[in-house]
Amino acid sequence: MIRMRRKILWASCFCFASAFFLVLTLQVITELGNSENKVSVISSVHSSPLKPGERHDFHFKKQELHSSFKTESDVNHYPVLLWWSPLTGETRRFSQCGEDICFFTINKTYQHNEMTRAFLFYGTDFSIDSLPLPRKEYHDWALFHEESPKNNYKLFHEASITLFNHTATFSRHSHLPLTTQYLEGVEVLKSLRFMIPLQMKNSLRKRLAPVVYVQSDCNPPSDRDSYVRELMCHIEVDSYGECLHNRDLPQHLRNPSAMDDGNFLKILAQYKFILAFENAICEDYITEKLWRPLKLGVVPVYFGSPSIVDWLPSNKSAILVSSFSHPRDLARYIKTLDTNDEEYESYLQWKLKGDISNPRLLRAMKERKWGVQDVTQDNYIDTFECMVCNRVWENIRRKEKGWLPQRWEAQVNHLSCPKPEAFWFSSSNPGWISLQKMWIPSFEQSKKEAWALRHLVEKNKNFTAEEFWMLVFKE
Ligand SMILES: *[C@@H]1O[C@H](CO)[C@@H](O)[C@H](O)[C@H]1NC(C)=O
Ligand SMILES: *[C@@H]1O[C@H](CO)[C@@H](O)[C@H](O)[C@H]1NC(C)=O
Ligand SMILES: *[C@@H]1O[C@H](CO)[C@@H](O)[C@H](O)[C@H]1NC(C)=O
Ligand SMILES: *[C@@H]1O[C@H](CO)[C@@H](O)[C@H](O)[C@H]1NC(C)=O
């Protein structure tokens, strides 16, 4: 497979304040690995553009760095896929995706190029400003968005998501589901590397709480801190992060990059329970918060995707916050397990036996075409690019044969993130205030933004940010 491997460094972050709300934008810097291969084409004949039959006249070979396409005219023979968000940072690259070759660029001058077939957007920095309009009927729009809605609520509504033909999101209903994006493989789940025997955990309990919480992104839309604050009234929780902090990490583990540090993981592994609370509640939005305790051999107490049981390694591998009507009841249950070794270990049997019984999880991991932190595999962005490239080519071939094009659209129900809700016992604490003052109004406004976006895109004319905001606030 002659694909480029790229390491993506989520590097800098800047804030953009609109009239009322904050939209966080992540700027992504792409780093080119040293060992990458560029595709080189040795071609004999170039004739009219996009003749799929002629693709076989080209020969590909791996070469060291910069020997790629030399002339601008090569571009005229391949579909151009234009990253409208400069996610990859690459101004020109030919990639081979199975049989198909596409030209990828972030160079916006290609908007009006006749070979341009798709615009690729990155959700977090999707901006209504200067969208590639007018959109031609052969201009596919593709969305890559692995983040929670917290980063860009307006894309999470039917009106906006269905503007896209191709999607890669955390949802299982996406064309390229990234649901397991934080899980390296099933082996890491089964691994006993960090697992601490229960007897030792029991003796560590003399100086540690039964439950640990580590969160430094406080008061997000899920209102998790309000829940944890209440939970803390009923059971001891060691909290090492900035949110509800009550216990210090060693100095060298106090920065966010230490979250994957072996020593930090060893500290977490000493606990019996880890609070695994997502920052937003969406179907299939599952992060390392769930997988980390499972890897470490600690029982996760999970709050997040309502259908999480669909993804758990076994029927008894996590405690779900949603099974309890009040944090008091959850605390009581945790205390029961804390004093009953057999009951507690029943949550770890799957791991001790190395037995992952969830067919959906196993299948997803087996069929996944991309890797996580794995240089031997394509990453999810490579795979996304190739999915769009293959689909674009499919329609080119259909056109050649005089067939109707294949139509693609994001599934309507695809991103299911209900309106954020504050916990009822939490009024007057900072979590509740964030919900009332920020996340709920932001969600409500995002519906208007989604509607305005759709309205303006359907007019298929260049529009300005002013026109957009006027429409949003007129509503
Ligand atoms: C963008 O592409 C145009 C040709 O379409 C080229 O003239 C220009 O130099 C490119 N810009 C960059 C930054 O590569
Ligand atoms: C959970 O149990 C049910 C019924 O016993 C079974 O059908 C299902 O496959 C199990 N799920 C997992 C993830 O093991
Ligand atoms: C892409 O979506 C647009 C807007 O919904 C639609 O007009 C177009 O036919 C779609 N293209 C494909 C290839 O599905
Ligand atoms: C769209 O609007 C921007 C800003 O008003 C302008 O620079 C750009 O040339 C316009 N594009 C088209 C295709 O009209």
Side-chain angles (χ1 to χ4, degrees):
M1 185 82 172
I2 313 171
R3 290 280 299 155
M4 305 191 39
R5 321 271 174 216
R6 279 163 290 141
K7 277 188 192 150
I8 289 168
L9 192 68
W10 310 89
S12 60
C13 166
F14 68 91
C15 296
F16 158 72
S18 76
F20 296 99
F21 305 105
L22 256 180
V23 175
L24 261 185
T25 304
L26 256 180
Q27 194 184 339
V28 176
I29 293 177
T30 300
E31 211 186 61
L32 295 178
N34 289 333
S35 60
E36 71 201 18
N37 299 308
K38 291 232 170 179
V39 177
S40 169
V41 172
I42 301 162
S43 76
S44 40
V45 196
H46 290 274
S47 55
S48 60
L50 292 175
K51 284 262 175 74
E54 287 173 2
R55 282 175 306 126
H56 302 291
D57 298 338
F58 299 110
H59 305 282
F60 295 89
K61 64 173 199 176
K62 287 187 182 186
Q63 290 208 349
E64 301 294 304
L65 298 171
H66 290 291
S67 56
S68 55
F69 295 66
K70 296 201 172 51
T71 66
E72 205 52 42
S73 69
D74 284 314
V75 176
N76 298 333
H77 298 269
Y78 297 95
V80 173
L81 274 53
L82 174 51
W83 270 105
W84 201 248
S85 329
L87 186 69
T88 61
E90 291 167 313
T91 49
R92 46 187 294 117
R93 168 168 49 90
F94 287 87
S95 280
Q96 186 165 15
C97 299
E99 298 246 290
D100 304 327
I101 301 163
C102 292
F103 177 76
F104 291 90
T105 181
I106 61 166
N107 184 338
K108 290 194 174 175
T109 64
Y110 283 95
Q111 180 188 347
H112 305 293
N113 189 298
E114 58 166 357
M115 306 308 285
T116 297
R117 287 294 176 278
F119 293 87
L120 313 184
F121 300 89
Y122 178 51
T124 298
D125 62 13
F126 179 88
S127 157
I128 49 93
D129 235 346
S130 72
L131 285 169
L133 295 170
R135 178 179 179 179
K136 302 226 161 72
E137 42 73 35
Y138 54 82
H139 281 170
D140 289 10
W141 282 18
L143 177 69
F144 182 92
H145 192 29
E146 86 293 17
E147 294 266 10
S148 95
K150 193 181 161 229
N151 279 337
N152 208 340
Y153 258 123
K154 69 175 163 297
L155 293 178
F156 283 72
H157 302 285
E158 183 179 328
S160 44
I161 194 70
T162 50
L163 292 173
F164 298 93
N165 301 99
H166 318 288
T167 63
T169 70
F170 53 74
S171 166
R172 75 187 78 180
H173 303 298
S174 163
H175 298 124
L176 179 64
L178 308 173
T179 319
T180 59
Q181 61 178 306
Y182 291 94
L183 181 59
E184 295 90 335
V186 287
E187 313 73 45
V188 297
L189 285 179
K190 290 183 191 171
S191 162
L192 300 176
R193 179 171 160 219
F194 286 97
M195 190 155 178
I196 294 191
L198 182 53
Q199 266 187 329
M200 196 184 290
K201 283 189 184 178
N202 277 333
S203 80
L204 283 163
R205 278 281 287 108
K206 292 187 196 97
R207 55 181 186 84
L208 301 178
V211 185
V212 65
Y213 184 56
V214 187
Q215 216 59 76
S216 290
D217 170 19
C218 309
N219 306 318
S222 66
D223 200 20
R224 62 186 168 202
D225 297 303
S226 297
Y227 191 96
V228 177
R229 183 189 304 270
E230 178 67 21
L231 184 69
M232 284 172 155
C233 301
H234 305 282
I235 191 167
E236 219 189 318
V237 177
D238 285 345
S239 177
Y240 290 98
E242 275 171 41
C243 319
L244 303 166
H245 180 94
N246 64 15
R247 198 168 176 132
D248 292 333
L249 284 169
Q251 189 64 47
H252 69 286
L253 297 176
R254 280 186 207 165
N255 62 73
S257 64
M259 293 291 275
D260 289 319
D261 189 301
N263 292 316
F264 173 68
L265 298 178
K266 279 181 193 160
I267 292 175
L268 294 185
Q270 299 175 316
Y271 286 87
K272 287 187 169 175
F273 304 92
I274 293 181
L275 298 181
F277 285 32
E278 305 291 3
N279 67 14
I281 307 300
C282 296
E283 296 290 351
D284 291 346
Y285 178 62
I286 305 165
T287 69
E288 78 291 346
K289 290 174 191 68
L290 173 74
W291 306 119
R292 191 186 290 129
L294 294 171
K295 287 185 218 171
L296 298 178
V298 179
V299 176
V301 177
Y302 185 77
F303 177 60
S305 170
S307 52
I308 190 63
V309 289
D310 288 353
W311 299 102
L312 291 173
S314 88
N315 270 339
K316 215 171 179 193
S317 46
I319 295 170
L320 307 186
V321 167
S322 60
S323 325
F324 299 88
S325 54
H326 193 279
R328 192 192 315 110
D329 305 324
L330 172 62
R332 195 178 299 136
Y333 185 63
I334 293 175
K335 284 178 188 166
T336 319
L337 298 183
D338 185 31
T339 52
N340 185 329
D341 286 355
E342 206 175 315
E343 274 298 303
Y344 175 76
E345 276 205 319
S346 69
Y347 280 91
L348 296 172
Q349 280 309 312
W350 68 273
K351 191 171 178 80
L352 292 165
K353 290 191 184 139
D355 179 20
I356 294 175
S357 59
N358 181 346
R360 185 196 302 272
L361 177 64
L362 291 171
R363 195 178 341 110
M365 294 306 287
K366 195 163 161 225
E367 289 173 1
R368 195 168 87 172
K369 293 197 182 76
W370 40 275
V372 177
Q373 293 169 19
D374 179 356
V375 288
T376 69
Q377 275 187 292
D378 282 350
N379 66 39
Y380 52 20
I381 293 173
D382 298 328
T383 308
F384 169 70
E385 289 181 339
C386 274
M387 174 183 79
V388 180
C389 175
N390 294 144
R391 286 175 167 200
V392 160
W393 267 109
E394 183 179 334
N395 273 346
I396 292 166
R397 282 189 280 267
R398 293 176 76 97
K399 197 167 180 199
E400 286 280 304
K401 292 180 188 149
W403 298 358
L404 284 173
Q406 171 77 43
R407 293 285 169 221
W408 286 283
E409 190 183 70
Q411 261 200 43
V412 173
N413 66 345
H414 158 201
L415 290 168
S416 175
C417 308
K419 178 172 149 181
E421 258 183 87
F423 281 104
W424 67 97
F425 42 72
S426 67
S427 65
S428 89
N429 81 35
W432 189 86
I433 292 164
S434 290
L435 264 281
Q436 301 304 319
K437 291 227 153 86
M438 185 155 67
W439 299 120
I440 293 172
S442 165
F443 179 85
E444 293 299 349
Q445 179 179 294
S446 73
K447 284 198 272 190
K448 293 181 190 169
E449 292 176 12
W451 176 85
L453 178 65
R454 175 150 210 116
H455 187 78
L456 291 168
V457 170
E458 277 178 354
K459 282 186 165 177
N460 212 17
K461 281 209 304 264
N462 207 3
F463 64 87
T464 62
E466 289 74 38
E467 289 172 77
F468 174 78
W469 290 113
M470 268 173 57
L471 199 56
V472 171
F473 293 117
K474 205 178 75 187
E475 263 304 284

